[in-house]
Amino acid sequence: SLILIKSVESTTTPETLHELAETIVAMMNAEALLDVKVAYGTVGQELKDVSKSYKEAKMALEVGRIFNVEEETISYGKLGIGRLIYQLPMSLCNMFIKEVFGEKIPDILDDEEAMSTINKFFENNLNVSETSRQLFIHRNTLVYRLDKIQKNTNLDLRNFEDAIAFKIALMVVKYMKHMDTMD
């Protein structure tokens, strides 16, 4: 691990910080031939804020390893719901999963085709037509797959409330699996 403390103007925008992080990643990839991830915290105004920013960057890196595997640059300010889930106790995670899925996590979460369908459906904001077009499948095929998912999970992903519950449950399951590997 390497920690970089950089002096920036108080007017530095989040976009500028992100560009700086991307530059560091590109330089390390090109010059040192290293595959790196860069996480950064918020800009501090005083020296005492350095510690806080370091802790934020450390959390961003850990949360990014769980929820943003493909990302090379991770901002503490953009962790979103992943940061919230990361701070939940395991007992609360287990209770939530039981509430959403019942006693057993559905097997469909291990089905690669189903998960790629679900992820694409979420990427397209629950739009059936656009998702079927991007998956190169007939609209009715997608509806059939969504019905199959609903049968296995009791959640209709075409319904916004169910889609939110499912998305959060997916993230919680991912977090729980990560924590199991840490033990």
Side-chain angles (χ1 to χ4, degrees), residues 71-116:
E71 299 288 324
E72 293 178 321
T73 59
I74 306 144
S75 167
Y76 177 79
K78 299 252 180 183
L79 293 177
I81 199 159
R83 177 174 49 187
L84 180 66
I85 292 169
Y86 182 76
Q87 295 174 339
L88 290 175
M90 249 337 146
S91 59
L92 210 55
C93 291
N94 283 317
M95 188 171 34
F96 178 73
I97 293 302
K98 284 181 182 172
E99 186 179 302
V100 174
F101 292 133
E103 289 300 315
K104 186 176 179 284
I105 296 174
D107 294 334
I108 203 145
L109 299 184
D110 295 323
D111 181 348
E112 198 172 306
E113 180 183 78
M115 289 310 299
S116 72

